[in-house]
Amino acid sequence: MRKLWAIFKGLVLFIVVLVIAMIVTGWNVPGNKEVPGGHQTDEYASPYIYMVERGTGKAVYEKKANEKAYPASLTKMMTTIVALEHIENLSASAPVDTDTYQKMVAQNASMAGFYGREKVTYRDLLYGTILPSGGEAANSLAIHVAGSTKQFVKLMNDKAVELGMTRTHFANPEGLHDAKQYTTASDMAKLLDYALDNQNFRAIFTKGTFQTTSTADHPQGIALTSTVLSSLNAEVQNGFEILGGKSGTTYEAGQCWATFGTAGNGEYISIVMGAPLEDISHPDHAQKKDTLELFANLSTRQ
């Protein structure tokens, strides 16, 4: 009898210790939902999330926000703000660089639709980088601003240090996968928060469509469309409005969105990264669903 009682007490002690360990370490148990401050959750498909209120800097929601993630074309937000801070005249001629154009075509990168040597302007390249996520536009900006993509990447990393993006490193301007190009959701939020204070960046980031300059290759220009805003046209946004965004997708990075919107009287930045991707030709847009839910949940608390 004493032996059975000892076993029973040992079992009870084991269960108590196990429960305490689960609470302390944040193990995910059925029914847990992540709250600001961050326990793990299965509520969202995206493994890395950071939502912050602009102005106050208050984190509204976070999930593995400081863990390493690949940025894919969210990289182009840094490309664009760095370029803007080095360009004196957005209307000046900035022809599409032929060598990097051919490399982007060979690597099946997303493109804005420009041709090699096409005589576009800096403004065209900037909108081409953000709205349709053009790889040829991003690399052409890098060449014109810094003389080479290598030198431009140095400017990108210098800016990351300046902004306190301590867990970020860039390796190229266009966002194609590179193991040495990584970031975190919270670092991407820092970047976007900073960039939105630049009025030219904000105008580009929140533009739904843009018609590029007439050239010999495209006499009518090219109609550029935001990959984010165009996908939200049919979506109901009750109590909030997503004003702009940047998408990014590779198999390694998964499906990523960086968005900027309003709810109540506040402005908010949402970063969702790493939503699972099985077929890049037929994505399930889980990052969009996560983003809309984040904003919807935010609006209910206003």
Side-chain angles (χ1 to χ4, degrees):
M1 189 68 179
R2 290 181 178 178
K3 185 176 182 181
L4 289 174
W5 178 244
I7 293 173
F8 176 76
K9 288 196 297 183
L11 182 59
V12 170
L13 180 60
F14 172 78
I15 292 173
V16 170
V17 171
L18 181 61
V19 170
I20 292 173
M22 292 173 71
I23 293 171
V24 171
T25 61
W27 290 6
N28 193 30
V29 295
N32 270 7
K33 299 293 184 181
E34 183 170 350
V35 295
H39 298 299
Q40 295 179 358
T41 182
D42 291 326
E43 185 178 357
Y44 298 102
S46 303
Y48 313 106
I49 298 176
Y50 192 70
M51 191 175 200
V52 62
E53 182 178 13
R54 296 199 74 217
T56 67
K58 178 183 177 182
V60 175
Y61 190 98
E62 55 185 303
K63 174 184 177 184
K64 298 183 179 179
N66 294 310
E67 293 193 17
K68 180 179 177 180
Y70 294 121
S73 284
L74 299 192
T75 297
K76 294 186 177 84
M77 296 191 299
M78 178 63 89
T79 302
T80 299
I81 188 60
V82 168
L84 279 168
E85 292 181 344
H86 288 80
I87 297 170
E88 295 183 359
N89 180 7
L90 300 188
S91 298
S93 177
V96 176
D97 179 70
T98 303
D99 289 341
T100 53
Y101 170 83
Q102 293 173 345
K103 289 178 182 177
M104 292 298 98
V105 171
Q107 294 180 70
N108 197 32
S110 56
M111 306 289 273
F114 301 122
Y115 295 147
R117 295 192 182 91
E118 186 167 357
K119 295 183 179 180
V120 298
T121 67
Y122 279 111
R123 184 176 287 104
D124 295 329
L125 292 178
L126 289 162
Y127 277 94
T129 297
I130 291 293
L131 270 59
S133 200
E136 85 278 34
N139 277 280
S140 294
L141 282 174
I143 296 292
H144 286 295
V145 167
S148 69
T149 55
K150 182 178 180 180
Q151 284 300 114
F152 189 82
V153 168
K154 183 179 184 302
L155 296 178
M156 295 169 71
N157 284 316
D158 288 346
K159 178 59 70 173
V161 171
E162 176 188 327
L163 297 181
M165 299 168 64
T166 58
R167 296 179 177 88
T168 295
H169 185 267
F170 294 104
N172 61 56
E174 81 285 336
L176 287 176
H177 180 68
D178 187 311
K180 295 180 181 179
Q181 182 148 282
Y182 53 85
T183 188
T184 67
S186 61
D187 273 2
M188 282 288 105
K190 285 182 184 178
L191 168 60
L192 182 52
D193 185 51
Y194 169 82
L196 285 168
D197 284 337
N198 181 296
Q199 292 306 304
N200 285 318
F201 181 96
R202 187 180 179 119
I204 296 167
F205 197 75
T206 58
K207 192 78 169 177
T209 61
F210 178 79
Q211 195 76 18
T212 65
T213 307
S214 172
T215 67
D217 294 300
H218 295 97
Q220 305 303 316
I222 300 174
L224 305 177
T225 303
S226 166
T227 57
V228 171
L229 294 181
S230 63
S231 74
L232 292 172
N233 288 340
E235 301 291 346
V236 176
Q237 300 182 47
N238 289 324
F240 67 93
E241 182 180 9
I242 296 175
L243 301 175
K246 181 73 194 76
S247 62
T249 307
T250 65
Y251 280 114
E252 296 84 358
Q255 302 174 92
C256 308
W257 261 21
T259 52
F260 160 63
T262 59
N265 295 320
E267 293 186 341
Y268 297 87
I269 285 171
S270 170
I271 309 293
V272 297
M273 305 178 71
L277 178 66
E278 294 184 3
D279 183 355
I280 202 166
S281 299
H282 301 90
D284 65 2
H285 305 293
Q287 85 286 15
K288 178 173 78 170
K289 179 182 177 183
D290 285 350
T291 299
L292 288 169
E293 188 170 343
L294 283 162
F295 273 97
N297 288 342
L298 176 65
S299 67
T300 62
R301 296 196 294 268
Q302 296 298 316

